[in-house]
Amino acid sequence: MNEVKQEAVNVERVTLCHDGKYRWVYEYPMLKNPVIFFTIMKVFCLCALVPALVTFFSDLRYSGFVTSFLTSAKVFLLIVAIVGVLTFIGYLIVAISYGWKYVVVFVMDEEGVEHMQQPKQFKKAQVIGIVTALAGGHTGNVGRVGQGLLAASHGSLYSKFCVVKSIKGNPRSQVIKVNSLLAKNQIYVPSEDYDFVWEYITARCPKAKIS
């Protein structure tokens, strides 16, 4: 895919701004694209293995392998079921409070990529206006606008390319998972620019396992 032209100002596409950074606005549909929910559940499933293994090795001293395995499997499934229901309810509550979607801004350069979630009171049009100013050079102080966008963000997660350990792509869900030891970052990209961002990130992560 060809690099995004600097004069482009459609910031819902990956856009090269006047400060040399790529930015784009992504409106995440929390109901249609439940990647976050499944990511949370994956973590809880791993946590549920701990009591299941404790149960297995405790029972193994008094029961056979099969009985111990079935008992630990029941413990695991029970925990996952309870946590799954509670997580689903919590996810729905958060999704409703955000109007079923939230706005995310991504900033990417040669060093790394940053994921900035905007607070629910921030409307998509407001965020697009700020990033468009950065992209089109409509302001005399690009750096100050960029700092203002970061200050307004609800949360920020930065992945430095040189320490990234693994990269996993899922074009269907429009997500690239960029993982390091201390940061599990999910980069959402419009389908039109997915290949470009994928190639950009993977080319700059020499230590990463790519899948």
Side-chain angles (χ1 to χ4, degrees), residues 1-4 14 22 24 108-110 113 161 167-171 175-178 187 189-206 208 210-211:
M1 179 180 293
N2 295 329
E3 288 201 4
V4 181
V14 179
Y22 288 96
W24 66 98
M108 182 175 71
D109 60 14
E110 292 289 332
V113 60
F161 290 148
I167 304 172
K168 297 182 180 180
N170 189 339
V175 64
I176 300 172
K177 296 182 179 180
V178 180
I187 311 301
V189 189
S191 57
E192 300 91 342
D193 296 313
Y194 189 92
D195 291 342
F196 167 71
V197 175
W198 170 262
E199 292 170 6
Y200 188 98
I201 292 176
T202 54
R204 290 161 177 79
C205 298
I210 300 171
S211 60

Side-chain angles (χ1 to χ4, degrees), residues 76-118:
F76 175 78
L77 293 175
L78 179 62
I79 294 174
V80 170
I82 294 173
V83 171
V85 171
L86 294 176
T87 302
F88 181 72
I89 293 172
Y91 185 82
L92 284 180
I93 293 173
V94 173
I96 292 171
S97 71
Y98 274 81
W100 301 103
K101 53 194 173 184
Y102 68 81
V103 178
V104 191
V105 177
F106 294 97
V107 183
M108 182 175 71
D109 60 14
E110 292 289 332
E111 301 297 325
V113 60
E114 188 168 20
H115 174 147
M116 296 189 292
Q117 179 184 341
Q118 302 305 299

Side-chain angles (χ1 to χ4, degrees), residues 42-187:
K42 181 180 178 181
V43 173
F44 281 129
C45 285
L46 291 174
C47 293
L49 284 175
V50 175
L53 288 173
V54 171
T55 301
F56 173 77
F57 287 111
S58 297
D59 285 358
L60 194 58
R61 293 181 296 176
Y62 309 105
S63 307
F65 177 86
V66 174
T67 302
S68 299
F69 176 80
L70 292 175
T71 302
S72 61
K74 290 178 182 178
V75 171
F76 175 78
L77 293 175
L78 179 62
I79 294 174
V80 170
I82 294 173
V83 171
V85 171
L86 294 176
T87 302
F88 181 72
I89 293 172
Y91 185 82
L92 284 180
I93 293 173
V94 173
I96 292 171
S97 71
Y98 274 81
W100 301 103
K101 53 194 173 184
Y102 68 81
V103 178
V104 191
V105 177
F106 294 97
V107 183
M108 182 175 71
D109 60 14
E110 292 289 332
E111 301 297 325
V113 60
E114 188 168 20
H115 174 147
M116 296 189 292
Q117 179 184 341
Q118 302 305 299
K120 62 184 179 181
Q121 68 267 22
F122 249 59
K123 303 299 182 182
K124 182 181 178 182
Q126 291 177 282
V127 182
I128 287 177
I130 295 173
V131 180
T132 299
L134 285 164
H138 299 311
T139 175
N141 194 330
V142 173
R144 181 172 296 178
V145 176
Q147 292 171 4
L149 181 63
L150 177 61
S153 66
H154 185 72
S156 176
L157 182 61
Y158 180 76
S159 295
K160 195 171 184 177
F161 290 148
C162 64
V163 298
V164 170
K165 298 296 183 182
S166 68
I167 304 172
K168 297 182 180 180
N170 189 339
R172 185 176 180 180
S173 297
Q174 300 182 352
V175 64
I176 300 172
K177 296 182 179 180
V178 180
N179 302 319
S180 60
L181 185 62
L182 300 176
K184 306 292 184 182
N185 209 342
Q186 295 191 157
I187 311 301

